[in-house]
Amino acid sequence: MALEKCMAAIPEFLSKAELLKQGAEARVYRARFLGRPTIVKERFRKQYRHPLLDEKLTHRRTVQEVRSVLRCRRAGISVPVVYFVDYSSHSIFLEEIVGSSTVRDHIASSPPSARCEGLEPLAERVGQVLARMHDEDVIHGDLTTSNMLLRCGPEDGVSELFLIDFGLSYISALPEDKGVDLYVLEKAFLSTHPHTEALFQRLLKSYAAASKKSSAVIKKLEEVRLRGRKRSMVG
Amino acid sequence: MHLTHELELFPGHKVTQMLFTEVKNAAELRQCAVEGKINGALINPTMLVNPFQVLVAANKAVNSQNNGKMKTRSLYSEIIFNLSPTNNISEAFKRFGCSDGDDSVLVVFIHNEDESQLLADLTARVSGRQVPVEEVSSLTDHAKVKKLYKVTQEEEKSGTLLDAVVCRMAAKDVM
């Protein structure tokens, strides 16, 4: 039985899929794959880079993303299931978490007055999940509230917290890297959600309680905070 | 009874699965497969959790064939290889391929037209009872699957066994 070769199978498929967003690194599509709602992340070629270098870099980033997702999954962290990876088009086909909203939207839509109190349980859970992730030595690399999804459970309303977008992630045991990961979240959190310092503190407390290696990480976080822009490096 | 799904990435390529129990001629079937007389892959259903698992393996096989990057010699052996969490081809066949003493078998084949003739040919060859493909989940040997795929306890709490299996199949080349 002859199978017609079609080198452009995936690009062809993506041209008909719904483009959700385009970043500097990749395009994200939504489609149906093997009968399931799927998100496809395609890392496209950068024409300005030397082709060999581009290929190596893009391949490495794709590999790191897949490894981090699998590593998180093994640790019991809710992440999308990877259905398929194509290394020639650098595309990752992942489970679409249907019926979810970002933590960002969740926080933004809650009334400002009751914000800190009502969202404390959420902050605690995020802290716990991040602690679990860092204990597995996975550095997310792009922690923001837009990269965390909440999917409502059936009746009792217990929602599941998902981490997504491991495109900048890598494996590291260094407290420095974990501290920076938290710092990135802190900056993103406080700039996206004004007046939520107490909420973030709750998150950090929960993180510290849940992680075995947290003291070194928190210490590094404090050091990193001192390093930022417009900071005096007088130590 | 049987399940057919057209691969979204490869229009025209349809994957059909058939499940049989009370199989009496597993040895003969395996021999036919080895000789290339059967146009399909014979899989041991106790290692399967869900028909979706087979679709994932089949999709990856067709993609590899398309790119000229298959690790095995044929499309059907590639499907069996893709089911395995390891890169050892003979081990994949031993564990996921049908063995002489098996009393159930799942057959998968890839075609582009109407499958009725192929279905009839296969049904005639298998000495057993055809059951709906969805019933494969009742044949699953959960303990064996968990052990082979090295599914952790935490993983089982946060996701399904199918999730764990599919993820490992998809990430095999880089882990």
Side-chain angles (χ1 to χ4, degrees):
Chain A
M1 176 190 52
L3 284 169
E4 287 139 26
K5 285 206 192 290
C6 178
M7 288 314 291
I10 289 167
E12 179 71 36
F13 173 73
L14 292 178
S15 65
K16 304 197 189 91
E18 177 195 345
L19 178 67
L20 286 182
K21 61 176 154 165
Q22 168 142 350
E25 285 245 330
R27 282 185 281 264
V28 178
Y29 299 85
R30 178 201 271 157
R32 268 202 100 76
F33 174 70
L34 302 182
R36 292 189 177 199
T38 303
I39 296 288
V40 185
K41 187 167 176 175
E42 178 204 22
R43 279 190 165 76
F44 47 81
R45 209 135 279 167
K46 313 282 187 310
Q47 307 287 26
Y48 57 81
R49 277 195 202 131
H50 185 284
L52 231 85
L53 179 61
D54 187 41
E55 174 61 38
K56 271 197 148 57
L57 268 172
T58 311
H59 180 82
R60 180 183 296 183
R61 297 245 170 93
T62 306
V63 167
Q64 277 176 325
E65 183 163 5
V66 173
R67 278 194 190 140
S68 299
V69 169
L70 189 56
R71 207 158 162 142
C72 277
R73 171 157 283 279
R74 286 212 283 244
I77 299 168
S78 292
V79 288
V81 176
V82 179
Y83 292 149
F84 172 57
V85 186
D86 177 54
Y87 298 96
S88 47
S89 61
H90 306 295
S91 306
I92 305 178
F93 288 64
L94 308 138
E95 172 190 9
E96 179 183 355
I97 314 295
V98 190
S100 64
S101 55
T102 61
V103 167
R104 181 205 168 122
D105 289 342
H106 206 81
I107 296 178
S109 65
S110 78
S113 46
R115 190 159 290 171
C116 281
E117 296 82 54
L119 294 170
E120 267 172 14
L122 177 60
E124 279 192 25
R125 283 180 60 196
V126 175
Q128 282 164 4
V129 170
L130 294 182
R132 194 76 199 78
M133 184 184 76
H134 281 174
D135 278 352
E136 276 304 304
D137 294 341
V138 174
I139 310 298
H140 186 281
D142 189 15
L143 282 175
T144 68
T145 49
S146 308
N147 283 338
M148 300 175 192
L149 299 180
L150 269 175
R151 179 172 66 185
C152 261
E155 322 90 24
D156 57 0
V158 172
S159 46
E160 207 178 339
L161 179 67
F162 285 84
L163 291 182
I164 59 167
D165 196 359
F166 284 79
L168 293 172
S169 64
Y170 56 101
I171 310 290
S172 167
L174 297 177
E176 164 85 26
D177 292 332
K178 296 174 187 175
V180 170
D181 216 19
L182 291 178
Y183 184 66
V184 167
L185 178 60
E186 184 176 55
K187 295 272 354 121
F189 200 96
L190 297 178
S191 63
T192 315
H193 310 288
H195 315 303
T196 50
E197 287 82 356
L199 204 59
F200 193 77
Q201 280 308 309
R202 199 44 185 267
L203 194 159
L204 284 183
K205 253 206 204 99
S206 168
Y207 175 94
S211 162
K212 305 152 200 156
K213 318 167 192 170
S214 58
S215 50
V217 176
I218 303 290
K219 192 151 168 286
K220 276 295 174 185
L221 170 61
E222 285 160 11
E223 271 176 49
V224 171
R225 276 191 194 131
L226 294 174
R227 269 188 235 151
R229 289 170 72 213
K230 305 174 187 167
R231 294 254 181 281
S232 154
M233 284 291 283
V234 178
Chain B
M1 275 287 217
H2 63 276
L3 212 64
T4 298
H5 185 91
E6 181 166 2
L7 294 177
E8 292 84 349
L9 287 181
F10 306 99
H13 291 75
K14 299 188 182 140
V15 182
T16 293
Q17 300 179 53
M18 297 169 79
L19 182 61
F20 297 90
T21 55
E22 294 164 31
V23 174
K24 310 277 188 297
N25 62 338
E28 182 198 331
L29 289 171
R30 204 179 66 78
Q31 192 56 34
C32 284
V34 163
E35 287 167 11
K37 290 203 204 123
I38 295 188
N39 210 14
L42 302 176
I43 304 174
N44 177 354
T46 62
M47 293 308 292
L48 296 177
V49 180
N50 186 290
F52 182 68
Q53 190 180 348
V54 177
L55 277 184
V56 170
N59 177 79
K60 190 169 172 187
V62 175
N63 189 55
S64 301
Q65 186 185 55
N66 219 19
N67 291 341
K69 296 230 167 90
M70 287 203 296
K71 301 258 171 74
T72 65
R73 283 196 217 145
S74 77
L75 185 64
Y76 293 122
S77 51
E78 192 78 8
I79 295 179
I80 296 185
F81 174 66
N82 286 339
L83 287 168
S84 174
T86 67
N87 285 311
N88 185 320
I89 300 178
S90 38
E91 193 188 311
F93 281 2
K94 231 189 317 176
R95 296 206 199 275
F96 293 86
C98 112
S99 310
D100 290 348
D102 286 354
D103 59 2
S104 56
V105 69
L106 184 136
V107 187
V108 55
F109 50 98
I110 301 182
H111 54 98
N112 42 20
E113 335 80 10
D114 176 31
E115 65 265 17
S116 40
Q117 187 54 48
L118 297 160
L119 288 176
D121 287 344
L122 257 154
T123 321
R125 275 193 191 274
V126 179
S127 166
R129 185 168 68 97
Q130 193 185 358
V131 297
V133 179
E134 293 77 2
E135 276 183 33
V136 74
S137 16
S138 62
L139 296 173
T140 314
D141 185 337
H142 289 93
K144 232 186 345 166
V145 171
K146 276 184 220 167
K147 185 156 173 237
L148 186 67
Y149 285 96
K150 299 199 180 93
V151 181
T152 64
Q153 270 197 348
E154 295 98 336
E155 217 174 332
E156 277 190 79
K157 276 187 243 157
S158 66
T160 66
L161 184 58
L162 179 62
D163 291 342
V165 165
V166 167
C167 229
R168 278 162 178 74
M169 283 169 60
K172 182 162 89 170
D173 321 300
V174 295
M175 295 303 289

